[in-house]
């Protein structure tokens, strides 16, 4: 039986999957102060998230990250499906970077020292889009 992933997708799926799964697992037991900080930053960029309690937001974020990380790590999940999830998730993180004051140098996309932690998430967006383009090109052939 052939797996629904290409050999060239293994390394980026392992790297992003492990990174995201670890991030989700680390958020499982965060305290109220950390939940308030994460929620506050997210609601500044995405005001609709303000309807959620900070603890609920962090719990949902944690579960979502663990699910996405697992989907990337499991070879039975097609790359197109994992790529959609990775692209959506990382686009949200890049949006957070672009919308949060102090993350970028004035009039530039270049990150400040504080923004580097969010700006680095652009690599995941590139991988997700790459998966989708690769899968679309494969289907055209």
């Amino acid at each position: 039986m052939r797996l629904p992933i290409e050999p060239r997708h293994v390394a980026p799926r392992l790297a992003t999957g492990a990174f995201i799964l670890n991030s989700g697992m680390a958020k499982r037991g965060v305290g109220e102060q950390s939940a308030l900080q994460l929620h506050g930053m997210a609601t500044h960029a995405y005001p609709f998230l303000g309807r959620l309690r900070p603890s609920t937001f962090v719990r949902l974020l944690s579960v979502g990250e663990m699910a996405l990380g697992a989907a990337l790590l499991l070879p039975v999940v097609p790359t197109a499906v994992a790529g959609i999830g990775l692209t959506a998730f990382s686009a949200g993180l890049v949006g957070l970077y672009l919308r949060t004051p102090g993350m970028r140098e004035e009039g530039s996309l270049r990150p400040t020292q504080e923004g580097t932690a969010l700006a680095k998430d652009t690599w995941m967006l590139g991988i997700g889009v790459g998966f989708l383009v690769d899968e679309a090109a494969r289907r055209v052939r």
Side-chain angles (χ1 to χ4, degrees):
M1 181 176 119
R2 186 178 172 282
L3 291 175
I5 65 170
E6 298 292 328
R8 67 183 170 276
H9 296 158
V10 172
R13 284 183 67 153
L14 287 175
T16 56
F19 187 88
I20 294 168
L21 179 62
N22 181 64
S23 179
M25 292 175 69
K27 288 180 181 76
R28 284 184 303 174
V30 300
E32 192 61 32
Q33 188 62 34
S34 293
L36 283 169
Q37 289 175 336
L38 284 168
H39 185 250
M41 190 171 184
T43 57
H44 180 79
Y46 301 107
F48 70 91
L49 294 173
R51 291 182 262 169
L52 297 173
R53 291 188 1 235
S55 59
T56 302
F57 167 75
V58 173
R59 187 172 61 252
L60 291 171
L61 180 60
S62 173
V63 169
E65 287 181 341
M66 289 189 295
L68 177 58
L72 285 157
L73 290 170
L74 293 171
V76 295
V77 176
T79 296
V81 173
I84 289 168
L86 180 59
T87 300
F89 175 70
S90 57
L93 292 174
V94 171
L96 186 66
Y97 167 69
L98 294 173
R99 295 175 178 190
T100 303
M103 297 293 118
R104 295 179 290 125
E105 292 181 5
E106 189 68 35
S108 173
L109 290 176
R110 293 179 56 196
T112 61
Q113 187 68 33
E114 297 79 22
T116 301
L118 286 175
K120 66 169 179 46
D121 293 330
T122 57
W123 65 270
M124 290 191 300
L125 181 59
I127 291 170
V129 169
F131 285 161
L132 296 178
V133 168
D134 194 46
E135 287 297 302
R138 187 181 63 80
R139 291 178 196 274
V140 168
R141 284 183 247 144

